[in-house]
């Protein structure tokens, strides 16, 4: 694995938000941006990925196997596009991107160790739609090292 592939998220202050592209995570991003603006701090956007959940890089030719660096670059580029579409390219506060090759709960919980607040959607791209909280949000509520805001999507 490349030395630059991040497996843990380390931040120092600010608002951390988990974004996976789901409706709940996009709503969490909007509220995290509002909270960041209010606090006058940095927004830390966290996206965890694994080989099971990462989409194939769009510029990888058919039949070729992408490298882990190509996967990470694709995830980062997609995340930047999602965030810039949601909150603009110049939101009025610093935005830092943290793309971690790890399970979502571990990435978000490691971010919570340095964040002032952690914002997550109530349900992401996981499979159990009947749950009140998704498994990631539930683990964050139970184990986060900072205050946490769990956001439902607007309907």
């Amino acid at each position: 694995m490349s030395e630059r592939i991040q497996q843990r998220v380390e931040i120092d202050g600010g608002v951390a938000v988990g974004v996976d592209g789901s409706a709940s995570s996009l709503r969490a991003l909007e509220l995290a941006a509002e909270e960041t603006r209010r606090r006058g701090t940095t927004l830390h956007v966290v996206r965890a990925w694994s080989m099971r959940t990462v989409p194939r890089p769009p510029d990888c030719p058919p039949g070729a196997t992408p490298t882990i660096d190509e996967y990470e670059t694709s995830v980062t580029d997609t995340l930047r596009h999602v965030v810039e579409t949601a909150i603009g390219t110049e939101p009025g506060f610093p935005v830092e991107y943290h793309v971690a090759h790890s399970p979502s709960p571990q990435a978000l919980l490691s971010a919570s160790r340095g964040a002032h607040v952690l914002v997550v959607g109530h349900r992401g791209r996981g499979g159990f739609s009947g749950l009140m909280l998704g498994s990631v949000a539930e683990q964050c509520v139970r184990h986060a090292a900072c205050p946490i805001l769990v956001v439902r999507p607007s309907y």
Side-chain angles (χ1 to χ4, degrees):
M1 185 174 344
S2 168
E3 286 184 28
R4 71 177 194 84
I5 300 297
Q6 187 176 343
Q7 293 183 297
R8 190 169 288 130
V9 177
E10 296 178 8
I11 62 176
D12 186 19
V15 176
V17 60
V19 176
D20 65 3
S22 66
S24 289
S25 77
L26 295 177
R27 181 69 180 129
L29 174 60
E30 292 171 8
L31 291 179
E34 290 174 20
E35 186 65 21
T36 301
R37 194 171 290 110
R38 260 193 296 273
R39 291 172 180 254
T41 190
T42 300
L43 177 63
H44 296 274
V45 182
V46 179
R47 169 69 161 94
W49 67 278
S50 70
M51 295 306 288
R52 277 189 8 209
T53 63
V54 68
R56 183 177 177 79
D59 57 351
C60 187
T65 302
T67 66
I68 198 159
D69 287 330
E70 290 171 324
Y71 277 121
E72 188 201 41
T73 298
S74 179
V75 170
T76 302
D77 291 346
T78 300
L79 180 62
R80 283 183 188 277
H81 176 73
V82 166
V83 171
E84 289 174 358
T85 299
I87 65 170
T89 57
E90 296 191 28
F93 48 80
V95 178
E96 293 185 16
Y97 296 90
H98 305 272
V99 175
H101 184 245
S102 73
S104 298
Q106 282 86 334
L108 294 167
L109 291 172
S110 67
S112 80
R113 290 185 194 107
H116 295 131
V117 64
L118 173 64
V119 184
V120 297
H122 87 293
R123 243 183 95 329
R125 296 195 178 274
F128 300 104
S129 61
L131 296 176
M132 292 298 287
L133 282 179
S135 60
V136 173
E138 182 175 354
Q139 287 185 50
C140 289
V141 166
R142 291 178 185 269
H143 303 290
C146 67
I148 180 166
L149 173 61
V150 180
V151 179
R152 295 184 60 84
S154 4
Y155 293 100

